[in-house]
Amino acid sequence: MPEKIVIYGVSAFAEMMYHNFTRYSEYRVVAFCVDQEYMQEASFCDLPVVAFEDLAELYPAEAYKMFVAIGFSRMRNRALMFDKAKAKGYQLVNYISPQAIIREDLVIGENNVIQSSTDIDIFVSIGNNNVFWTGCILGHNVVVGNHNYVSGNCGLGGNCVIGDACFIGNAACMVNNINIADETYLVAGAIIVRSTEKSCQYHGNPSKRVARHADAGIVIT
């Protein structure tokens, strides 16, 4: 029998993940939830929407698991929503596309998304709450932290280390042995040939630092 999950969020990303879980996973989505202040509709994707504050009573953690569907517009919110769900005692599930290529030795945390055509080499470790969109390549011995968003067709060279809460834009690539510091923002197409600084934005080929965002974090409009 499929395990039952509740999706936290009612965004376009939440709808995509409902589709993925329903068609390509062993999980069955039974409801969505949002914070009480954002409650607008009683249903989403023909399933009930409940207040996050009421979740433990309606869908207790002993019987249900969760997936936190949070995108990239405000990257610091990824950690906030993840931590709120964990504080209620829920186990968070991963979505790994059946069209992804992964090795048996992959070490992976919770609430990760690995989309189709992503290829993950040997000796890779992935933390919690990361997204790898379609066509990403992770080289051998890559270490990924938490709450990162890696857009489509990105390349992470072997032995690279990705910190926390980074946004890597479409088709950005890095050579081997690079450290990507926390809250790094790599603009689409950036080519990274040296390690980055915390809370900075990089653009170009080869990439150059073009901005800092330590106060507000990464905000993408």
Side-chain angles (χ1 to χ4, degrees):
M1 180 176 294
E3 293 188 271
K4 299 176 182 179
I5 64 171
V6 177
I7 293 179
Y8 188 4
V10 291
S11 63
F13 181 50
E15 184 177 14
M16 283 189 286
M17 293 313 303
Y18 166 74
H19 169 84
N20 287 337
F21 279 120
T22 300
R23 296 197 60 180
Y24 305 118
S25 83
E26 70 274 24
Y27 299 109
R28 180 163 71 90
V29 182
V30 297
F32 294 83
C33 69
V34 296
D35 293 348
Q36 179 69 58
E37 61 182 307
Y38 299 112
M39 285 282 295
Q40 295 182 343
E41 304 291 340
S43 65
F44 185 72
C45 296
D46 296 321
L47 292 174
V49 177
V50 302
F52 178 78
E53 292 80 357
D54 299 330
L55 191 63
E57 179 179 353
L58 298 171
Y59 300 96
E62 295 78 14
Y64 298 87
K65 297 179 180 179
M66 286 188 68
F67 177 79
V68 178
I70 176 70
F72 55 78
S73 60
R74 292 184 176 272
M75 288 292 293
R76 288 181 180 176
N77 286 347
R78 294 183 56 78
L80 291 174
M81 290 181 64
F82 177 90
D83 290 344
K84 285 174 65 175
K86 292 301 297 179
K88 283 186 175 288
Y90 285 91
Q91 180 178 340
L92 305 183
V93 303
N94 294 313
Y95 171 75
I96 301 177
S97 168
Q99 285 80 45
I101 302 171
I102 60 173
R103 275 60 179 185
E104 293 182 356
D105 63 354
L106 174 65
V107 177
I108 190 168
E110 297 181 89
N111 211 76
N112 294 287
V113 175
I114 300 175
Q115 289 283 33
S116 61
S117 300
T118 293
D119 190 339
I120 301 177
D121 208 343
I122 60 173
F123 309 141
V124 170
S125 175
I126 296 172
N128 298 317
N129 196 33
N130 300 286
V131 173
F132 300 91
W133 214 250
T134 305
C136 292
I137 297 176
L138 280 67
H140 62 87
N141 297 93
V142 165
V143 176
V144 180
N146 305 308
H147 316 302
N148 300 288
Y149 195 104
V150 183
S151 306
N153 297 305
C154 290
L156 282 58
N159 293 299
C160 286
V161 177
I162 314 299
D164 295 337
C166 299
F167 179 85
I168 302 179
N170 288 326
C173 295
M174 61 197 69
V175 301
N176 295 345
N177 305 304
I178 292 291
N179 289 336
I180 302 298
D182 295 348
E183 291 198 325
T184 292
Y185 179 2
L186 304 184
V187 176
I191 305 299
I192 308 299
V193 297
R194 60 179 59 86
S195 296
T196 67
E197 299 175 47
K198 183 178 179 180
S199 302
C200 290
Q201 181 181 141
Y202 293 82
H203 180 268
N205 178 15
S207 66
K208 297 180 180 179
R209 190 186 68 211
V210 296
R212 298 180 185 270
H213 45 258
D215 292 337
I218 299 173
V219 179
I220 301 173
T221 58

